[in-house]
Amino acid sequence: MTIQWNADLPDDYHRQAIAPVSFERHVDTFAHASKELGFDDAGERCFYRHEFTLTEDRFDAEEFPVEVGVYWERVIAWRLVSGLWLKLKIWADRLDRCPRRFVTQAPELVEEVEIER
């Protein structure tokens, strides 16, 4: 399994992030969700990414039922050598409209308990 764990890592933190040596990937296609975890040499979690899409059931122009995405979110976090985590959150809440709006929040340093929020 190849996971690009550092693709979105801000340049200023490349030397501070702990590189994972193994990964777990969990996918729930029915829920439109996935989670990837990376672990260091000691088996401690050092990388986290989740992504999901919330949907609504609607009807198209011919009154056929369709599932429409209305909210999408991705959270990525890297454990730094300091013990803190660098968290990056990207989300979109207008998937059913034009233009879609994607928001990338500024990276923030957080404790491990805060990465999944």
Side-chain angles (χ1 to χ4, degrees):
M1 166 179 15
T2 302
I3 294 178
Q4 299 297 323
W5 69 274
N6 61 354
D8 295 303
L9 181 62
D11 291 338
D12 295 347
Y13 292 93
H14 273 271
R15 291 179 180 243
Q16 298 176 49
I18 297 171
V21 295
S22 65
F23 294 95
E24 286 181 9
R25 180 171 169 80
H26 307 276
V27 177
D28 186 335
T29 53
F30 182 74
H32 309 288
S34 66
K35 182 184 285 188
E36 298 163 344
L37 305 171
F39 301 91
D40 64 13
D41 290 338
E44 298 292 322
R45 184 165 65 164
C46 62
F47 173 75
Y48 174 90
R49 176 173 35 219
H50 79 239
E51 185 171 322
F52 66 88
T53 302
L54 295 178
T55 61
E56 287 182 355
D57 292 328
R58 296 186 184 171
F59 295 94
D60 67 8
E62 286 118 23
E63 297 299 318
F64 288 106
V66 294
E67 187 176 45
V68 176
V70 294
Y71 178 81
W72 170 84
E73 177 180 289
R74 176 184 293 154
V75 171
I76 310 167
W78 302 267
R79 192 175 85 224
L80 305 177
V81 293
S82 68
L84 290 174
W85 286 74
L86 180 68
K87 177 181 170 182
L88 179 64
K89 182 175 181 178
I90 307 162
W91 56 273
D93 66 348
R94 288 193 242 178
L95 299 178
D96 57 340
R97 301 183 203 147
C98 290
R100 293 178 176 177
R101 175 176 69 169
F102 287 88
V103 177
T104 301
Q105 293 179 254
E108 59 181 324
L109 293 173
V110 298
E111 298 289 333
E112 184 171 10
V113 297
E114 300 174 64
I115 62 175
E116 296 185 41
R117 295 183 198 170

